[in-house]
Structures are given as C-alpha cells and as structure tokens.
Amino acid sequence: EYAAILAACGKLPADHSAWWKAFLAVAYTAGLRYSEIVHLTIGDIDIDAETIKVTTKPASSTTLEWSPKSGR
C-alpha cells in the first residue's frame, strides 16, 4: 500500500509530489501518531542528527496550539 501511495504522488506537480513523498516517508517510518506528524514543523527536524523532536506548539500565525499526548 505504501508503494502504491508513493507512486500516486508521482502524478502530482513536482513541488507537491516531493512534499507528499517526504510527509509519507516520515509517517511510514518514524512511528509517530497522526497528530504528532501533522503538527511537525521544519524546526522539529534535525537532519544532521537524524532526529525528529515532537514538541508542544504555542498558537501563532503559522501553527495551531498543540501538545503531545504525554504533555512533554
């Protein structure tokens, strides 16, 4: 199913295709809950350390207020 969804992303415009492929790769491999994935921001990803931080988000003009299930 994952491969089929990725293949469908190839039918999107290139800029949308890359975004969706990255989103789906994180969703498929990181073991995060849905709400954790959709509240990620680019600042949560450390490419050099190969880590993703799931952090509380205050409300702003670009994010919705959100906190992880654990509250930490």
Side-chain angles (χ1 to χ4, degrees):
E1 292 175 350
Y2 177 66
I5 294 170
L6 283 181
C9 289
K11 298 175 184 175
L12 298 170
D15 56 338
H16 292 190
S17 177
W19 186 93
W20 276 106
K21 286 179 180 179
F23 178 84
L24 292 169
V26 170
Y28 185 72
T29 61
L32 300 175
R33 295 176 177 93
Y34 171 79
S35 62
E36 294 169 340
I37 294 165
V38 299
H39 288 95
L40 288 177
T41 63
I42 195 70
D44 295 329
I45 301 169
D46 185 337
I47 294 173
D48 295 330
E50 299 180 353
T51 59
I52 297 174
K53 296 178 188 172
V54 176
T55 60
T56 298
K57 304 287 188 299
S60 75
S61 63
T62 58
T63 60
L64 297 174
E65 182 176 359
W66 179 80
S67 63
K69 184 177 179 180
S70 68
R72 298 183 274 140

